[in-house]
Amino acid sequence: MNSIVSSHFSKLLVVAANLLLYLVPASHVNGQQGLYTAYGSYPVKTPDTLLATYQNAKRPQDRLRAAEQLVTFHQPYGASDSVIYYAKAMEAALSEITPPPPDRDHQLMHINHILAETFQKKGLYYEALGNYLNAIQLAEKTRERTAIDSLEFGLANVYSLRGQTANALDIYQTLVRTSNNPYLVHQIRKELGKIYLAQQKAGAAKNELDTAYHYFLKESRPKETLESQLYLGDIALVENREDEAFDRYNDVKDKAYKHQFIDLYVMAGQRIGDLLLHKKDYEGAQMMLGMTYTNAIQLEDLESQQKALRSLQSLYIQIRDYENAYAISTQYRMVSDEITALQNQREVNELEAKYQTAQKEKELLKQQQEVEKQKSAKVFLLVGFLAVLIPLIALMYVYYQKLQAQSALNQSMERLNKQRITTLMKENELELLKANMDGQEAERERIARELHDSIGGNLAAIKLQLSSSGSLHIVRQVDDTYQQVRDLAHHLIPPKFSKDDFTELIAQYLKNFDISGKTTVSFQAFQKDTLNTIPSDLKVEIYKIIQELMTNTAKHADASRVEVQIMVLDNELQLIFEDNGKGFSADETTPGIGLRNLHDRLQRCQGTLELNTTPGRGTVIDITLPIKTQQHVV
């Protein structure tokens, strides 16, 4: 991978130069999308009085209060790094106070809550998860019910963003039933609307978001109102009401700029840029997305940087600027690697396990208490009965419990058997499809060899003997026959690897590849003319590599979207295969047969493979193959 980055460093400089055009202070885009600004520096200036108070504070108590004032100032504007810096300063000052204040756990919980929300906004979900879990432990020690509800709401948000929808819904639904805080309940409804939108339940999503929007509007909470409006714009876009979506995004952008909600400003700019790209307004989209990326860098919001880079790559591909598209893809992977490097996964996994264990223990304790109550009630009632009836009642109770347990076991076994049958059917279908295609190819190749080696060889020998005898007329007929056999042998090579239709063959294969009817597969090929003329043996390897990748994705990834890109650049063929499935930990997972097959094929072709995957964030496989001029002699 280092050699690839090095060889394309000059291309990254071109992209960086283009983006720097938007880094001048108060640079604007006017036109259909309205006014949009890229900041050369962060637009919100910290008041000098707050900074002076913090810098002049000598005692840790004074630094704690001054740092908290700075956190409170920066939070509404989405200044993530400033919030993190001063929150950690609060934590450091708190640790210096001797003796510890009586409300130390409360203050530490408050600091962890601030850090959790801020890391979540930056897209650092593991860090956010760790701070939420720490804060929940502290809140349970202090028994602050309101704080626990708020923290569990934040934890559910992180689960939702990580794709753990079931965990998030469990927490949301529990809080809606138990919380007496209307503001929190409507925050939950906003998040439920986002989940239903992702599940393509537009009606349910609109109901939740509309309710949340009108509540926040009535309660004069501008940031929550604008965020709700942003997702209502997404619903309008899903329902093909592009003009309404555009107006909502533009209104959010303008009001976010007025209130200096820079994080919402970046989110609205991203959506406007994507919409312009969809409308093929490439110039406007390029400027909007470039400035969105610039603002995301200024905010040091890694997730927003990823989204902007992804859209910019798609734009450059559509305008056939493949060099910049490839450079953008390299930058995208660098940002992804930075996110992975910043995550503190091991410690967070331990905290999450402790939290889940504690939740289960609470549930068990609650069940035990309920059982004890039931037992006490039964004992109280049974005392009044005659002693002769006691054994009979106990027997009936035990028998009833066994029936319930057996019924639950039967239902569980039935579900398990259905899942096994579905999995076996899917695997058998994939194996049959692959075996059928491999068998057809092998049969064609065998017939071609027989025609070439046996019949072709005999005709060549006859031609040689006739030439020596001077029978020129017969020699010409034999020569014509030999050429026909030779052409037939050539045509028996699988037609899918002919020069004119290789990329179309891959597109057709991916189009017909249906993974349980729930996965969208997109395919893009760049420089198709060059791809269609690469050697046949390389075409076969590429085709089989794609088959292997699709088979692995169908079996293991549980993905709703798969993207395949093939491009030729500098005598190298690059295959990028990306899915949004559940991913895995490359360090902790033993490579299966599929990955070993891929490595064997790439070793034969002198190719390289780079695997980028993290649990809950999908998988990206980057394959590079050298293109060598080869001649096939028949």
Side-chain angles (χ1 to χ4, degrees):
M1 183 62 195
N2 289 334
S3 61
I4 295 173
V5 173
S6 176
S7 65
H8 294 284
F9 181 70
S10 60
K11 301 181 182 75
L12 277 172
L13 289 178
V14 172
V15 176
N18 288 336
L19 292 175
L20 283 173
L21 292 175
Y22 309 113
L23 286 175
V24 295
S27 173
H28 301 296
V29 174
N30 289 289
Q32 183 186 9
Q33 67 270 27
L35 181 68
Y36 192 78
T37 298
Y39 300 100
S41 61
Y42 196 77
V44 179
K45 185 177 184 303
T46 307
D48 293 337
T49 54
L50 292 181
L51 282 174
T53 302
Y54 175 75
Q55 292 167 356
N56 295 329
K58 303 298 182 184
R59 299 190 309 157
Q61 294 92 330
D62 297 334
R63 286 203 309 276
L64 177 64
R65 285 192 293 271
E68 184 171 16
Q69 289 177 338
L70 286 164
V71 167
T72 303
F73 172 79
H74 284 289
Q75 270 185 313
Y77 306 114
S80 299
D81 287 318
S82 296
V83 172
I84 291 170
Y85 176 85
Y86 291 114
K88 288 185 178 293
M90 290 173 63
E91 193 173 30
L94 184 61
S95 68
E96 295 176 18
I97 299 175
T98 305
D103 62 342
R104 176 186 175 279
D105 287 341
H106 172 81
Q107 294 193 52
L108 199 54
M109 175 204 69
H110 177 57
I111 293 169
N112 276 271
H113 194 175
I114 292 169
L115 289 170
E117 288 183 336
T118 311
F119 282 127
Q120 176 187 324
K121 290 177 182 177
K122 284 175 69 67
L124 300 176
Y125 300 138
Y126 269 101
E127 292 292 327
L129 196 62
N131 280 278
Y132 273 126
L133 293 170
N134 278 328
I136 288 172
Q137 287 183 350
L138 292 166
E140 287 178 341
K141 286 173 61 177
T142 58
R143 299 182 180 181
E144 297 181 52
R145 185 68 256 171
T146 302
I148 292 173
D149 287 351
S150 180
L151 290 165
E152 289 190 336
F153 168 70
L155 183 66
N157 292 344
V158 176
Y159 281 140
S160 178
L161 290 167
R162 291 177 63 197
Q164 297 171 276
T165 307
N167 291 350
L169 286 173
D170 284 344
I171 297 174
Y172 287 149
Q173 290 165 356
T174 299
L175 289 175
V176 167
R177 290 195 306 269
T178 60
S179 177
N180 296 321
N181 184 348
Y183 171 73
L184 179 62
V185 169
H186 285 86
Q187 283 280 69
I188 293 170
R189 300 197 72 168
K190 173 168 64 67
E191 296 301 323
L192 287 173
K194 290 160 62 174
I195 290 178
Y196 294 148
L197 180 60
Q199 294 175 341
Q200 298 181 345
K201 300 176 181 178
K206 186 175 182 181
N207 179 59
E208 297 291 348
L209 287 165
D210 256 330
T211 303
Y213 170 81
H214 287 100
Y215 172 82
F216 295 135
L217 186 64
K218 178 183 176 183
E219 295 298 318
S220 299
R221 291 185 175 269
K223 190 163 189 177
E224 291 85 349
T225 303
L226 291 177
E227 188 179 1
S228 302
Q229 183 174 341
L230 199 67
Y231 290 103
L232 285 169
D234 291 347
I235 293 174
L237 193 61
V238 167
E239 295 178 342
N240 296 318
R241 292 179 278 113
E242 293 183 355
D243 290 339
E244 179 185 339
F246 194 94
D247 291 340
R248 285 187 180 274
Y249 295 154
N250 216 32
D251 187 51
V252 171
K253 172 183 66 66
D254 293 339
K255 291 177 180 176
Y257 181 82
K258 176 182 177 182
H259 290 282
Q260 294 291 282
F261 300 149
I262 309 305
D263 48 351
L264 281 179
Y265 189 67
V266 169
M267 293 168 66
Q270 175 71 41
R271 284 164 167 77
I272 293 172
D274 286 342
L275 190 51
L276 291 172
L277 179 59
H278 175 71
K279 291 174 175 287
K280 301 189 183 303
D281 181 359
Y282 298 125
E283 182 179 356
Q286 184 177 12
M287 297 176 71
M288 180 66 68
L289 292 170
M291 287 192 287
T292 297
Y293 178 61
T294 300
N295 288 335
I297 291 175
Q298 187 63 47
L299 280 173
E300 296 194 25
D301 184 341
L302 297 175
E303 186 172 45
S304 295
Q305 290 177 42
Q306 276 190 318
K307 291 179 181 178
L309 286 170
R310 187 180 187 85
S311 297
L312 282 168
Q313 182 190 18
S314 178
L315 184 149
Y316 284 128
I317 288 171
Q318 292 186 37
I319 63 177
R320 300 181 182 277
D321 186 353
Y322 302 128
E323 290 190 0
N324 276 340
Y326 183 70
I328 287 288
S329 71
T330 303
Q331 182 68 16
Y332 178 87
R333 288 195 295 276
M334 290 171 64
V335 174
S336 297
D337 291 343
E338 184 178 356
I339 290 175
T340 301
L342 290 171
Q343 306 287 16
N344 189 7
Q345 299 183 23
R346 183 181 62 81
E347 293 182 4
V348 172
N349 288 339
E350 293 175 359
L351 284 171
E352 188 173 13
K354 289 179 180 178
Y355 170 77
Q356 292 176 351
T357 301
Q359 295 300 105
K360 290 178 182 178
E361 289 174 351
K362 287 181 182 178
E363 186 63 28
L364 285 173
L365 180 61
K366 189 176 180 180
Q367 291 176 358
Q368 289 173 358
Q369 291 173 345
E370 185 64 27
V371 169
E372 291 298 326
K373 288 180 181 179
Q374 292 178 3
K375 286 182 178 179
S376 299
K378 289 176 181 178
V379 169
F380 180 77
L381 292 173
L382 288 174
V383 168
F385 287 93
L386 294 173
V388 71
L389 295 177
I390 293 177
L392 179 61
I393 294 174
L395 181 63
M396 292 177 63
Y397 177 74
V398 172
Y399 181 68
Y400 172 76
Q401 292 289 80
K402 287 183 178 180
L403 286 178
Q404 291 290 96
Q406 186 63 43
S407 176
L409 179 61
N410 291 341
Q411 292 177 2
S412 177
M413 291 297 297
E414 183 178 355
R415 287 195 299 269
L416 182 60
N417 289 335
K418 286 182 179 179
Q419 291 175 356
R420 287 177 177 172
I421 292 170
T422 302
T423 301
L424 287 172
M425 290 178 65
K426 184 189 294 184
E427 291 180 354
N428 288 339
E429 288 175 1
L430 291 171
E431 293 299 329
L432 286 173
L433 175 62
K434 186 175 180 181
N436 183 40
M437 297 182 73
D438 290 345
Q440 291 179 5
E441 292 175 19
E443 183 63 17
R444 287 177 178 272
E445 291 174 359
R446 185 188 68 78
I447 296 173
R449 284 196 303 271
E450 290 295 327
L451 286 173
H452 179 272
D453 296 342
S454 299
I455 301 175
N458 291 340
L459 288 174
I462 294 170
K463 176 182 175 183
L464 182 63
Q465 293 174 10
L466 290 175
S467 296
S468 62
S469 65
S471 303
L472 297 179
H473 177 69
I474 299 176
V475 168
R476 283 195 297 271
Q477 289 183 335
V478 171
D479 186 56
D480 289 342
T481 305
Y482 173 72
Q483 290 297 329
Q484 291 175 13
V485 171
R486 186 174 181 274
D487 292 341
L488 182 58
H490 275 290
H491 283 93
L492 279 171
I493 294 175
K496 65 185 181 181
F497 302 119
S498 65
K499 292 184 178 180
D500 298 329
D501 59 1
F502 178 55
T503 55
E504 179 60 31
L505 168 72
I506 296 176
Q508 189 61 40
Y509 169 73
L510 295 173
K511 179 180 179 182
N512 295 329
F513 199 100
D514 180 27
I515 308 171
S516 72
K518 297 181 180 179
T519 302
T520 301
V521 183
S522 67
F523 170 63
Q524 294 176 318
F526 313 122
Q527 302 194 45
K528 291 185 179 179
D529 294 340
T530 305
L531 285 169
N532 286 330
T533 58
I534 63 176
S536 296
D537 55 351
L538 186 56
K539 291 179 182 178
V540 173
E541 292 298 333
I542 295 168
Y543 189 83
K544 290 184 177 180
I545 286 171
I546 292 175
Q547 282 184 314
E548 196 69 55
L549 292 170
M550 291 300 296
T551 301
N552 284 347
T553 299
K555 287 182 178 180
H556 309 297
D558 193 21
S560 63
R561 174 177 55 78
V562 175
E563 294 187 8
V564 182
Q565 298 180 12
I566 302 180
M567 65 179 73
V568 175
L569 192 64
D570 296 337
N571 293 323
E572 287 186 340
L573 182 144
Q574 185 183 29
L575 168 62
I576 299 176
F577 186 95
E578 180 176 0
D579 68 59
N580 67 341
K582 59 188 178 184
F584 59 93
S585 176
D587 295 335
E588 300 175 3
T589 303
T590 302
I593 295 175
L595 276 178
R596 292 200 295 271
N597 288 343
L598 283 178
H599 283 294
D600 291 343
R601 290 188 183 279
L602 291 173
Q603 189 174 10
R604 291 197 298 270
C605 302
Q606 298 180 342
T608 62
L609 179 147
E610 180 176 350
L611 178 66
N612 190 335
T613 181
T614 303
R617 300 181 73 92
T619 301
V620 179
I621 296 178
D622 191 339
I623 294 174
T624 303
L625 296 167
I627 300 176
K628 300 178 181 179
T629 304
Q630 301 181 16
Q631 294 180 350
H632 301 268
V633 180
V634 179

